């Protein structure tokens, strides 16, 4: 099956669902892609996690996007941060916020600015790895201080969305275009009990999907109680353990409380399924604001377990209001091609989730249609692949856990 | 080791008294000989060498407990080591440490020996067996499997190396026996009868709580004293029946002054007002400056849940030790009576490599220790002590961060200790 033919056929089918769902004219994917929404993306340089530097840089970027007040004033704002994997793993001796977790200072600065812009309530969300304990406990294990985040603005709360959590029931969020993998997802109430949804991601590559930015961060909104290794066949496991193997591999269906897959004959492969699930999820739970932490990060993979990783220091922050447009700019800043498709770097074994989202009409990946504000891409881009090579030369082998110590 | 006697079960294959030369220049000073009548020459020579020979039935002042061979449960699968896991998906670890600590708490005037018969153990795990018990203040009755004893007797190189590694570990703990005077730091007290219907479940709670590296104090109901709760953040009462009336007042006093009481069973008339908690298994009450968490049902009684719920209810905010990339580790923090020094002892049962578990210690563990320390010295059984200062080119060293220090450790084997100075 060729990616393009299959993708086109698949998108046509989905668009048919979308036409039924929203009562609009059916459009070919190419037409939808060319008309996919766009939005400005702000790029800021920020060399350190110094709070003053972060506040001024983020503040300027939000102003460049038209100001936070219009987005968050008087609203309940939910912020999905990125804490991938267990909080007990580091890359070498480096703090988690300097490699694969959203840095706590970035969270704190953004919370402060969102609060200052008049948010009624701010909820920090993440589905903690293999846990149903409070999110604050995961933060502490990572050596983050939740009190610092909590005190950055009035009415800040935390919720671990890996299970039912504080809600009385799960929220079913329907994929408006019909869905690539599932027609709807059962999520923790926090993703529907909010007026504004923010994806606060890390600027990283990903072993399975090539990249993980503001879109892929939303893969983690799925509760492992339903979509995880320990999920019950019929009912959710409210004490979830392990990862989202079933979403990756499709070896089984989620707990019956959630809608089953649309088509179980599709490839049972992470590179096929995960990008599609991501496109589903950002359609089902639109991302109103994206903040991508690229001050310090990781190349070659999403976490310490990925082979061939190396720490990088792009010194960048990116913000936008369309996740596809934002991730397109991020990819260019990482020295990657957002138009690349399966078989080409960084999508050697994966479909391009940006293409899938674009074809679903969520946003454009055509850089010519995206207004980039602030730093110029060519002036500040940092080629992740080259950075890994530099690391290779310095260390004699591709750094993995334990071989290197300090940021190169 | 708290005991002055360092015991070894004499291998029956070592029939010649010349084998006693293997013990010269070691701290092994006590032999358990199964049939002393048939080993006259060994017994006599041992006694001439100042080694005490005892029969297993003659152990005054010594509490002997049965143990199991320590280590992570690793099995061979597709030619790779894989771990048998517990309910978390983390590898299951057998350790005698908690048993030694419990025996010492129940028999405070007694020395604790742990009797573990090796049955086809991996040779490199002998030093682990020593450290697993010694780090908890007890002593393993050194016992060799038949193959190892015979190999040493023949002078085969691999068994002799295993013997040397074992002796290195024994010597290390004998040299540092002054640590037994240090006071164990604790965040949580585990209070139980540790007997009858509660014996198995409370023991398993101790075992699994150790796996979280939460620092705890064992408080048998019968030996409760005014000092039992001093310095603790929380007390866990895992027994199915509530503590007796005599213990109720000091426990509630502890709560009133800011402590957390976690109890499995509902007390009649638990004081305080309902707390605004969202916990699936515990109902919360506020009493004075503290809190009481009462299990809602027997669903909360599973020892794994009890241990992990306790850690979360207390909060990682109060962690005395916090690890990254340490693999399967049990760790113990204790402080010198003068408060100027502390020792972190770490026993490593398995490490993780590329997503698979393997025996041995970690490559690059980090441990955060709560406290204002300024110096750190790394001690292992097989290498010279090393100062941990500013991180070196490999990142190994110490970072001082206000009220805590972060220790970046080099590649380690089964055991390491870090001596901290203020």
């Amino acid at each position: 099956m060729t990616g393009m033919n299959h993708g086109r056929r698949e998108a046509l089918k989905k668009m048919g669902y979308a036409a039924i769902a929203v009562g609009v004219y059916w459009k070919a994917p190419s037409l939808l892609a060319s008309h996919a929404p766009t939005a400005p993306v702000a790029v800021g340089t920020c060399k350190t996690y110094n709070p003053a530097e972060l506040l001024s840089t983020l503040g300027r970027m939000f102003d460049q996007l038209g100001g936070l007040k219009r987005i968050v004033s008087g609203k309940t704002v939910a912020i999905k941060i990125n804490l991938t994997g267990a909080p007990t793993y580091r890359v070498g001796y480096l703090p988690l916020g300097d490699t694969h977790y959203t840095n706590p200072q970035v969270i704190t600065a953004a919370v402060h600015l969102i609060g200052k812009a008049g948010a009624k309530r701010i909820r920090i969300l993440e589905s903690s790895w293999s846990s149903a304990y409070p999110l604050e406990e995961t933060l502490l294990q990572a050596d983050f201080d939740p009190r610092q985040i909590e005190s950055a603005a009035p009415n800040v709360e935390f919720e671990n969305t890996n299970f039912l959590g504080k809600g009385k029931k799960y929220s079913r969020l329907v994929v408006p275009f019909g869905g690539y993998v599932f027609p709807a997802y059962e999520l923790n109430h926090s993703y529907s009990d909010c007026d504004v949804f923010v994806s606060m991601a890390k600027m990283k590559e990903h072993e399975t999907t090539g990249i993980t930015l503001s879109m892929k961060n939303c893969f983690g909104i799925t509760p492992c109680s339903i979509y995880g290794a320990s999920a019950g066949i019929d009912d959710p496991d409210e004490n979830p353990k392990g990862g989202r193997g079933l979403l990756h591999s499709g070896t089984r269906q989620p707990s019956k409380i959630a809608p089953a897959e649309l088509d179980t004959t599709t490839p049972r492969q992470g590179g096929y399924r995960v990008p599609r699930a991501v496109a589903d999820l950002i359609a089902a739970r639109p991302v109103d604001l994206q903040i991508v932490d690229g001050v310090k990060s990781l190349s070659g993979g999403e976490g310490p377990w990925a082979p061939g990783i190396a720490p990088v220091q792009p010194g960048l922050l990116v913000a936008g209001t369309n996740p596809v447009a934002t991730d397109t700019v991020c990819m260019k800043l990482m020295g990657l091609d957002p138009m690349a498709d399966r078989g080409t770097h960084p999508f050697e074994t994966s479909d391009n989730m940006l293409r899938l989202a674009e074809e679903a009409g969520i946003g454009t990946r055509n850089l010519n249609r995206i207004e980039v504000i602030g730093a110029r891409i060519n002036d500040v881009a940092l080629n992740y692949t080259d950075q890994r090579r530099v690391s290779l030369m310095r260390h004699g082998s591709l750094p993995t856990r334990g071989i290197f110590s300090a940021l190169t | 080791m708290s005991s002055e006697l360092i015991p070894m079960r004499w291998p029956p294959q070592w029939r010649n008294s010349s084998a006693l030369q293997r013990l010269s220049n070691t701290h092994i000073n006590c032999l358990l000989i199964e049939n002393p009548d048939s080993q006259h020459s060994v017994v006599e020579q041992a006694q001439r060498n100042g080694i005490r020979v005892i029969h297993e039935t003659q152990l005054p002042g010594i509490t002997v407990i049965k143990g199991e061979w320590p280590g992570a449960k690793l099995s061979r699968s597709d030619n790779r080591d894989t771990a048998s896991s517990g309910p978390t998906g983390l590898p299951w670890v057998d350790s005698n440490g908690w048993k030694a600590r419990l025996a010492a708490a129940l028999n405070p005037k007694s020395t604790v020996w742990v009797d573990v018969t090796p049955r086809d153990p991996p040779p490199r795990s002998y030093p682990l067996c020593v450290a697993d018990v010694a780090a908890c203040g007890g002593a393993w009755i050194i016992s060799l499997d038949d193959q190892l004893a015979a190999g040493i007797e023949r002078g085969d190189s691999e068994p002799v190396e295993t013997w040397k590694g074992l002796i290195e570990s024994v010597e290390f703990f004998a040299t540092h026996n002054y640590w037994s005077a240090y006071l164990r730091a604790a965040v949580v007290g585990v209070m139980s009868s540790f007997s009858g219907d509660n014996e198995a479940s409370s023991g398993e709670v101790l075992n699994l709580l150790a796996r979280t590296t939460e620092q705890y104090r064992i408080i048998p109901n019968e030996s409760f004293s005014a000092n039992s709760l001093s310095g603790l953040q929380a007390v866990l009462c895992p027994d199915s029946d509530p503590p007796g009336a005599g213990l109720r007042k000091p426990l509630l006093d502890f709560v009133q002054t800011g402590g957390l009481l976690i109890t499995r069973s509902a007390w009649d008339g638990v004081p305080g007002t309902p707390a605004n908690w969202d916990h699936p298994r515990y109902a919360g009450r506020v009493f004075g400056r503290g809190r009481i968490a009462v299990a809602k049902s027997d669903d909360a009684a599973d020892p794994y849940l009890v241990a992990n719920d306790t850690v979360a209810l207390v909060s990682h905010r109060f962690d005395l030790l916090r690890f990254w990339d340490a693999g399967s580790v049990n760790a113990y923090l204790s402080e010198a009576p003068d408060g100027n020094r502390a020792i972190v002892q770490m026993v490593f049962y398995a490490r993780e490599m590329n997503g698979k578990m393997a025996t041995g210690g970690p490559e690059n563990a980090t441990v955060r220790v709560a406290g204002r320390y300024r110096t750190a010295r790394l001690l292992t059984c097989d290498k010279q002590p090393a100062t941990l200062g500013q991180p070196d080119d490999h990142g190994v060293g110490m970072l001082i961060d206000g009220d805590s220090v972060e220790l970046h450790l080099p590649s380690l084997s089964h055991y390491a200790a870090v001596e901290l100075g203020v």
Side-chain angles (χ1 to χ4, degrees):
Chain A
M1 151 189 348
T2 67
M4 181 172 284
N5 286 341
H6 183 76
R8 179 180 294 272
R9 195 165 60 238
E10 187 176 52
L12 287 170
K13 190 169 118 189
K14 303 303 173 201
M15 289 313 110
Y17 290 141
I20 294 163
V22 299
V24 297
Y25 281 108
W26 174 86
K27 290 179 183 176
S30 56
L31 277 176
L32 272 166
S34 63
H35 289 85
T38 186
V41 177
V43 177
T45 57
C46 188
K47 296 298 178 195
T48 71
Y49 286 119
N50 178 291
E53 188 180 3
L54 284 167
L55 278 171
S56 66
T57 307
L58 280 173
R60 186 169 59 249
M61 291 165 65
F62 292 145
D63 288 345
Q64 288 165 341
L65 293 175
L68 272 181
K69 194 170 181 180
R70 70 183 175 87
I71 303 172
V72 304
S73 182
K75 308 277 180 63
T76 293
V77 179
I79 303 175
K80 162 67 172 73
I81 58 175
N82 185 222
L83 311 180
T84 191
T88 52
Y89 291 155
R90 284 185 171 189
V91 175
Y93 302 110
L94 296 174
L96 283 88
D98 284 6
T99 55
H100 59 294
Y101 273 28
T102 310
N103 190 281
Q105 299 296 349
V106 175
I107 303 170
T108 304
V111 164
H112 178 75
L113 292 169
I114 289 168
K116 201 173 159 188
K120 184 174 68 183
R121 194 164 64 134
I122 300 170
R123 311 196 75 235
I124 309 296
L125 310 176
E126 173 60 301
S127 304
S128 299
W129 167 256
S130 196
S131 166
Y133 290 114
L135 178 56
E136 294 95 313
E137 292 303 308
T138 305
L139 293 167
L140 286 162
Q141 284 183 285
D143 225 21
F144 294 8
D145 185 357
R147 283 186 186 161
Q148 183 191 47
I149 298 167
E150 195 175 14
S151 61
N155 301 323
V156 177
E157 302 167 2
F158 300 86
E159 182 148 359
N160 177 358
T161 58
N162 205 30
F163 67 122
L164 185 62
K166 296 172 184 172
K168 300 293 179 206
K169 61 175 187 171
Y170 288 95
S171 297
R172 177 166 297 190
L173 274 72
V174 175
V175 184
F177 68 84
Y180 283 115
V181 186
F182 294 98
Y185 291 78
E186 293 288 312
L187 304 177
N188 174 285
H189 74 99
S190 302
Y191 297 107
S192 60
D193 291 347
C194 62
D195 306 306
V196 176
F197 179 55
V198 182
S199 173
M200 191 180 289
K202 198 80 172 174
M203 191 183 283
K204 293 183 293 186
E205 293 172 292
H206 194 279
E207 206 178 353
T208 303
T209 58
I211 48 159
T212 171
L213 300 159
S214 75
M215 292 169 58
K216 172 64 176 59
N217 182 35
C218 296
F219 190 64
I221 71 176
T222 49
C224 282
S225 55
I226 295 172
Y227 298 96
S230 72
I233 298 296
D234 295 315
D235 298 316
D237 171 13
E238 294 305 329
N239 200 18
K241 300 163 200 84
R244 294 180 180 79
L246 75 89
L247 276 183
H248 277 263
S249 62
T251 49
R252 54 159 287 200
Q253 293 297 301
S255 303
K256 285 178 182 167
I257 185 179
E261 264 188 81
L262 289 164
D263 182 359
T264 53
T265 65
T266 54
R268 308 285 92 182
Q269 186 230 3
Y272 177 91
R273 294 171 58 80
V274 179
R276 283 168 175 77
V278 168
D280 285 355
L281 287 161
I282 62 167
R285 174 56 268 186
V287 188
D288 303 297
L289 177 66
Q290 307 87 43
I291 302 166
V292 182
D293 169 12
V295 177
K296 294 179 182 178
S297 188
L298 200 58
S299 71
E302 72 278 17
W305 51 87
I309 51 167
V312 289
Q313 197 164 336
L316 294 170
L317 291 166
V318 182
T321 54
N322 182 293
V324 188
T326 299
D327 286 8
T328 296
V329 171
C330 286
M331 283 191 73
K332 289 299 286 184
L333 289 165
M334 297 161 77
L336 302 170
D337 180 7
M339 303 304 284
D341 215 333
R342 183 184 268 269
T344 53
H345 188 64
F347 303 116
E348 285 88 349
T349 58
S350 165
D351 290 315
N352 181 342
M353 69 178 81
L354 276 67
R355 173 180 66 77
L356 293 161
E358 185 183 56
E359 290 179 355
I362 298 167
T364 184
R365 59 175 173 146
N366 180 350
L367 203 58
N368 294 327
R369 295 185 56 225
I370 302 169
E371 182 190 1
V372 180
I373 314 168
R376 286 159 44 100
I377 291 176
N378 287 342
D379 292 345
V380 298
L382 181 104
N383 189 305
Y384 271 41
T385 310
D386 288 349
Q387 283 297 301
R388 253 197 328 282
R389 289 199 186 108
V390 169
S391 220
L392 170 66
M393 287 167 64
R394 285 190 186 174
H395 296 282
S397 63
L398 280 173
T400 55
R401 278 169 65 195
I403 294 176
F404 63 99
S405 56
L407 203 56
T408 52
Chain B
M1 283 179 208
S2 57
S3 167
E4 289 180 4
L5 291 179
I6 298 179
M8 178 178 175
R9 190 182 300 284
W10 188 252
Q13 297 94 329
W14 295 4
R15 303 192 65 81
N16 194 318
S17 61
S18 63
L20 283 163
Q21 286 177 359
R22 295 188 187 109
L23 307 189
S24 60
N25 300 319
T26 77
H27 281 77
I28 297 170
N29 55 8
C30 177
L31 294 183
L32 280 78
I33 300 181
E34 270 182 33
N35 296 305
D37 295 341
S38 66
Q39 302 240 42
H40 271 303
S41 64
V42 172
V43 171
E44 284 170 12
Q45 185 61 47
Q47 286 168 340
R48 276 198 293 275
N49 292 357
I51 296 173
R52 189 169 164 188
V53 178
I54 57 176
H55 303 288
E56 295 196 49
T57 53
Q58 300 171 344
L59 302 170
I62 293 168
T63 300
V64 180
I65 57 169
K66 277 284 177 193
E68 51 201 327
W69 198 259
K73 294 271 189 200
L74 300 174
S75 56
R76 301 290 295 178
S77 171
D78 298 332
N79 295 322
R80 290 189 293 188
D81 282 336
T82 55
S84 300
S85 58
T88 57
L90 296 173
W92 186 263
V93 168
D94 287 326
S95 166
N96 299 307
W98 69 270
K99 292 179 184 173
R101 291 188 60 195
L102 176 59
L106 294 170
N107 305 279
K109 291 180 180 170
S110 180
T111 293
V112 176
W113 287 358
V114 179
D115 191 1
V116 184
T117 306
R119 290 196 175 86
D120 192 25
R124 281 184 298 176
S125 66
Y126 276 94
L128 173 66
C129 197
V130 174
D132 176 53
V133 177
C136 292
W140 172 48
I141 302 172
I142 299 163
S143 307
L144 310 181
D145 69 282
D146 291 347
Q147 208 176 338
L148 177 64
I152 294 167
E153 184 75 355
R154 287 193 303 270
D156 294 350
S157 59
E158 197 173 317
V160 167
E161 282 306 306
T162 300
W163 171 251
K164 282 180 183 168
L166 191 163
I167 293 299
E168 262 178 358
S169 276
V170 171
E171 298 302 290
F172 178 89
F173 288 102
T175 308
H176 295 93
N177 64 357
Y178 60 91
W179 288 342
S180 63
Y182 284 29
L183 310 169
R184 285 198 183 275
V187 176
V188 183
V190 183
M191 201 165 150
S192 165
S193 66
F194 298 106
S195 62
D197 291 345
N198 298 314
E199 185 176 354
S201 60
S202 57
E204 196 55 22
V205 167
L206 296 180
N207 180 25
L208 293 171
L209 203 51
R211 301 291 304 112
T212 69
T213 68
E214 183 77 277
Q215 300 300 293
Y216 63 79
R217 181 182 303 158
I218 300 171
I219 309 170
N221 289 345
E222 285 194 1
S223 53
F224 184 88
S225 73
N227 292 328
S228 293
L229 308 181
S230 66
L232 297 177
Q233 295 291 337
V235 177
L236 165 67
C237 298
D239 290 354
S240 55
D241 43 338
L247 298 175
R248 184 176 167 122
K249 184 177 183 313
L251 282 171
L252 292 179
D253 287 347
F254 171 76
V255 175
Q256 271 201 305
T257 53
L260 165 66
L261 171 63
I262 304 164
T263 175
R264 178 176 155 193
S265 55
W267 297 7
D268 288 335
V270 176
T273 53
N276 185 23
W277 282 7
D278 267 317
H279 196 290
R281 288 174 290 278
Y282 286 86
R285 296 186 76 80
V286 175
F287 181 51
R289 287 161 51 202
R291 301 173 295 156
I292 303 174
V294 183
K296 291 175 183 171
S297 73
D298 275 352
D299 292 348
D302 172 86
Y304 167 76
L305 287 176
V306 172
N308 287 279
D309 283 347
T310 297
V311 174
L313 285 165
V314 174
S315 177
H316 285 287
R317 184 171 296 286
F318 299 105
D319 284 351
L320 295 176
L321 301 177
R322 188 179 295 159
F323 284 90
W324 290 272
D325 302 310
S328 296
V329 61
N330 280 358
Y332 313 97
L333 174 68
S334 47
E335 290 158 354
D338 65 5
N340 288 328
R341 274 175 301 161
I343 186 82
V344 182
Q345 296 193 77
M346 296 161 278
V347 184
F348 300 107
Y349 300 89
R351 62 187 164 140
E352 193 178 341
M353 287 185 69
N354 303 320
K356 298 290 175 192
M357 301 307 294
T359 53
E363 286 180 69
N364 57 286
T366 296
V367 55
R368 173 190 175 279
V369 188
R372 290 176 173 267
Y373 300 106
R374 303 195 68 80
T375 62
R377 206 163 64 108
L378 177 68
L379 305 156
T380 56
C381 300
D382 54 351
K383 292 192 177 78
Q384 289 297 312
T387 298
L388 296 174
Q390 281 291 314
D392 63 17
D393 290 346
H394 301 286
V396 174
M398 174 172 73
L399 296 176
I400 298 173
D401 181 21
D403 290 337
S404 66
V405 293
E406 202 170 276
L407 307 170
H408 298 173
L409 304 172
S411 180
L412 297 167
S413 59
H414 64 285
Y415 171 87
V418 177
E419 202 164 39
L420 296 156
V422 296

